[in-house]
Amino acid sequence: MAGRAGTRLPVALRGYDRGQVDGLLGRISRALSGGPPVSVDEVRAIRFDVVLRGYEQRAVDELVRECIRELQSTAPYDERAGRPRVHPGWLINWIQNARFAGAGLRTGYDVRDVDAFLDRVIAGLRGTAPPVTARDVRESAFRVVRLGSGYDEQEVDRFLVQLAGALERR
């Protein structure tokens, strides 16, 4: 099975390098699942080598266009085409109103760690503390707790991906 979400791409005598295509589709799939982000511009800039027994070019081009549309529709509000950049006041309000589900019986991120980090981001946006960069957000790490007050890890991770993107485009 090749491609994103089980999509089977046809193979042609001369087509796009299957490893390169599968690698990009894997990155896009992970980005859509809350993993490391992939920008639409980055996807548009990628060029595949043409090799013997590669994926049919037209089918790949069509699938990549579909992936770009999906990336655009799931991007944070400020990253979507035609949307204005986020005002710091709006961003502060968005962070303050973020709510995460509890981890329940699973492991989760320590509530105090996550809340303290988001307070630091807000202080940086207000200018009362050093600014927190998108890189700081991506590299943030929190203690993991069991059966305590912990936030759902996937929800927090998805929020942080969006927050990093918003901070880059402020």
Side-chain angles (χ1 to χ4, degrees):
M1 204 59 101
R4 186 173 68 67
T7 303
R8 184 179 289 278
L9 291 167
V11 175
L13 180 61
R14 292 186 47 77
Y16 290 141
D17 182 286
R18 291 191 276 183
Q20 293 173 349
V21 172
D22 289 342
L24 174 64
L25 295 176
R27 285 183 58 213
I28 291 170
S29 181
R30 287 187 296 278
L32 291 171
S33 300
V38 176
S39 75
V40 169
D41 292 335
E42 184 180 352
V43 173
R44 283 189 178 123
I46 291 185
R47 299 292 175 256
F48 303 112
D49 296 331
V50 176
V51 298
L52 290 176
R53 305 278 308 139
Y55 289 137
E56 185 181 280
Q57 296 175 31
R58 185 175 297 154
V60 171
D61 292 342
E62 199 172 293
L63 182 58
V64 168
R65 279 192 296 275
E66 180 184 320
C67 289
I68 287 171
R69 284 191 297 274
E70 196 168 344
L71 284 169
Q72 287 173 325
S73 71
T74 59
Y77 184 80
D78 67 313
E79 293 180 29
R80 295 180 189 170
R83 304 288 188 219
R85 296 193 183 273
V86 172
H87 184 272
W90 183 91
L91 193 53
I92 289 168
N93 190 46
W94 178 61
I95 295 168
Q96 287 176 328
N97 288 310
R99 300 289 178 258
F100 307 109
L105 298 176
R106 300 177 316 241
T107 60
Y109 290 139
D110 187 288
V111 168
R112 294 167 302 200
D113 286 357
V114 174
D115 289 347
F117 179 74
L118 293 178
D119 287 344
R120 216 175 90 217
V121 174
I122 290 170
L125 289 167
R126 287 186 173 142
T128 58
V132 175
T133 66
R135 182 179 183 174
D136 296 332
V137 172
R138 286 191 187 95
E139 293 176 354
S140 62
F142 308 107
R143 287 179 293 182
V144 176
V145 295
R146 288 185 188 277
L147 302 173
S149 56
Y151 288 138
D152 181 276
E153 294 176 30
Q154 289 183 340
E155 278 189 34
V156 172
D157 289 341
R158 279 192 297 270
F159 179 81
L160 293 176
V161 166
Q162 290 184 335
L163 177 58
L167 289 172
E168 283 178 337
R169 287 161 181 81
R170 257 184 346 110

